[in-house]
Amino acid sequence: QDCTFFTRKEILRLHGRYHEMAPNVVPMDYTKDPDVKLPMQLIINMPELKENPFKERIVESFSEDGEGSLSFNDFVDMFSVLSEMAPRELKAIYAFKIYDFNTDNFICKSDLEQTLNKLTREELTAEEITLVCEKVIEEADMDGDGKLGFADFENMISKAPDFLSTFHIRI
Amino acid sequence: KDKEEDDSKEEDSCSPHNRASRRKNYQIKNSDGKNAGEERRRQRERGKKAPTKDQKESENEGRKTNKKGKEGENKQKTDRKTSTSSGSSNSSDEESLSEEELAMLMEQVEQKKKLISAMRNKPWRMVKKLSVLREAQAFVEKFEGALGKGKGKKFYAYKMMMAKKWVKFKRDFDNFKTQCIPWEMKIKEVESHFGSSVASYFIFLRWMYGVNLVLFGLIFGLVIIPEVLMGMPYGSMPRKTVPRAEQETAMDFSVLWDFEGYIKYSALFYGYYNNQRTIGWLKYRLPMAYFMVGISVFGYSLMVVIRSMARNANENTADGDDDNFVFSWKMFTSWDYLIGNPETADNKFASITTSFKESIVDEQESNKDENIHLRRFLRVLANVLIICCLCGSGYLIYFVVKRSQTFSKMQNVGWYERNEVEIVMSLLGMFCPPLFETIAALENYHPRIGLKWQLGRIFALFLGNLYTFLLALMDDVNEKLAEEDAVKNITRWTLLGHHNSSAGNDSTATPPPLDPADVPRGPCWETTVGIEFVRLTVSDILVTYITILVGDFIRACFVRFVNYCWCWDLEAGFPSYAEFDISGNVLGLVFNQGMIWMGSFYAPGLVGINVLRLLTSMYFQCWAVMSSNVPHERVFKASKSNNFYMGLLLLILFLSLLPVAYTIMSLPPSFDCGPFSGKKRMYEVIQETIELDFPLFVAKIFSYVANPGLIIPAILLMVLAIYYLNAVAEAYQRANAELKKKMQMQREEEKNKRNNKASTNPALQDLEDLLAPSTKRESHPKQAEDKKTESPNPTSPVVKQGRAAALDGGPMTGGRGAACVPPPHVFVTQPPTLGIRPPYPGQPRPRGHPMGPFPGRGRGQP
């Protein structure tokens, strides 16, 4: 309970959800600490994540191996970070990871383009996309290296008015 | 069985650890925060008892440990001495600990507690979190009891629970509140498809509905319902009865449609009210209430409009300086992770796309540079053309009004002649705005500014129409007033004659009362004015709805279905679908509200009609927009506050206040209808109340206050206050601008500075820890280490180079130079190499890493 932002009941419910996705794989009894992982395909089909354009990225960034399969610990961790009690700094760290598509610790132009395409379902023209990406980098890039490091990202996100209200999943 | 139990069991398994060794651990921990070194050591010590559990953690810590290993080793040695001393003595020795040790222990407990409470904020992997947590918890539990600190535990737990409950309750309440906002979802839906500017119209409409609902409550609660309940019933007196001549047709629909007949003699209009000072068993002072409600309608409206304007202005200044990250915020915070419904998700995608397009348009507008002279010339030309149009329409209305006056003197005029003024006015209202829009295309403004100009121009047009209408009405009223004098005499004579005749016939019997329907009566100009306003409102409603139905819906249907068998593409070509006309709709709403304000004094029922109108138009227009309109070609964002709409509203409120105030102050009320009949002026009702119902001194005070000698200084004082406040506001504004400039400068400076240094962030370290997959490290720990030892060497010269370039060629080139070297995180993980490099002046040391005393020698420690 101290590791997450959930109460005991909520963790139990989360476990129920986790169990529900693959009843024959996930044991109900967790006292022996079994090493069970669920593949990404199951998790991104949860109704909470299904419509999210970044669902793959979310799951990937919370999975321990980076491949997208989640153990129950990772699962709880994910929803804990995305709960509304989590502080801004923590959320910012994970948001950075989510938007960092190629996991090179920087949000570069290709990451931005992917983000934009997912956000708009590729309805913008190529010029518009490049324009927007350039603007984003111009706005947020403090150290002038042409991509956003975590410091840039945090600086930008800490001033965003509705980051906290949008970056959470209620489960 | 669940996670929690799992936790607790493992905790139990942990607890029988050797206390002494544990304590020793924490002593070190205390000395060095979260130093990874002793964590490693602790694991080694505990390794025999729980070898598998901490495997991963140890792997995680592995990297840090390497650097700190040496340091840890040193400490360990020193610690061992203390630990052996205290470790040999077991738990029974606890009380014999010295004061200092106790204090230290307490400090540790505090620190552990802090760690526990901060645990959830650490971006570590869950496994690591769990193991660290367990240790901390076990420690706290053990020593808290020893120190007697756990006594208030229950109370504390209770307090925490209550706090949690309270937070939850507050959140639920907030959710409930947002659910209670009417039409929120509808407006959101419209917004997502049509952009914020169209939504701003609907928000304005909703706001107007709220205001009108309050006005409706005021008027119905304080005037109409008391009159219906306690006033004299219909037919009891002349003003409440339909005259004999009209009685046959009074129920006909065509008559009722014109608000004549029974409707005219009902509580909806001014004329129905009696001038009795008090009515009913409550002794309700109806004329007084009527007057006060009439005033307070204006008072409330003024207050609400000004307050919301002020609030909007506040909001504007509150987040005015955050324009720096428009696109970034859109990019990273616009998706709402709560969305789980496919339809909502579709809407959200649409709205995000729209908002991006809005921002792009804004951006492009600001970047445009063209032939400035040509544009100036075009703008001047457009304004000249529009002024010509306005003058033309003004003259046309004047001409028509003049003509109608001659028509009104003639008998047997046709339908067209009677309604010529209205027809011309609505034709002008229909054709001028599109004309203006065409002319405005010359100007090539940004659509948001263009909308304002368009609004201003149509406003001027409508205002001209309104005031000619009012002037015509004034003429009418004056005529009626003249007529009234004549009727007054006739009425008196009729009544007298009736009495005389009845007295003459039979002196003993009381004269049979004259039927109220037969009494000749004056024209009652107030009711006439009220009817005029009601008619105008109703026809306005009908015109609006029919326009929507024909102009939007039928057109959309036609385009949609005839398109299959037509020679050109109707959807893309000429008729196409209609766009939502924001300016026209807003102005329609504003002017309608002006009518309501003016008319509500003469027709209290008008507000009720308006409430109905707003309610239906909310649904109707929402439907029409969603079904038959297309988004604007150039979607643009509404200016943040709709203060412009509010400004228009305030202006129209002021303008509609003028005629009403004029009639109240300087026209005599009709002698035989309305609550103020028999008085010289309407406002005399206040004087009467003060004289009759209040003690004498109040009347005296009132007469003093009303003295011009007091009023003129008061006005002077107010003017001075306004001047002073204005000056203060200006000063603040200047200070604000100055501050903003400073902040901008600071930001630039920061940017430049950052270009010159490879700074790092403690959070980055944790991130780093997470990002590199742990499995990889597990399999190739050696390789990773090798890489680490090699990497700093090529890095530092290049970084140096980059820095040199920065010094030479300014920040930008420096940034470019730095961009092409391997990512800086390589040396983020390698704090010791900083010590090797020649130090630069002002070079920042990474904050998160406590530097070991022997940075180079730590490596190689298992």
Side-chain angles (χ1 to χ4, degrees), chain B residues 196-209:
Chain B
S196 45
S197 52
V198 176
S200 74
Y201 164 72
F202 283 100
I203 289 168
F204 186 58
L205 179 62
R206 184 176 66 184
W207 184 84
M208 289 292 259
Y209 181 71

Side-chain angles (χ1 to χ4, degrees), chain A residues 75-86:
Chain A
F75 187 73
V76 173
D77 202 20
M78 175 165 88
F79 284 108
S80 160
V81 170
L82 289 172
S83 76
E84 39 197 313
M85 255 86 79

Side-chain angles (χ1 to χ4, degrees), chain B residues 357-374:
Chain B
K357 279 190 179 151
E358 284 174 358
S359 306
I360 289 171
V361 167
D362 279 5
E363 194 55 42
Q364 281 167 346
E365 285 301 320
S366 63
N367 285 342
K368 236 182 231 170
D369 49 347
E370 282 170 14
N371 189 344
I372 192 95
H373 293 293
L374 178 67

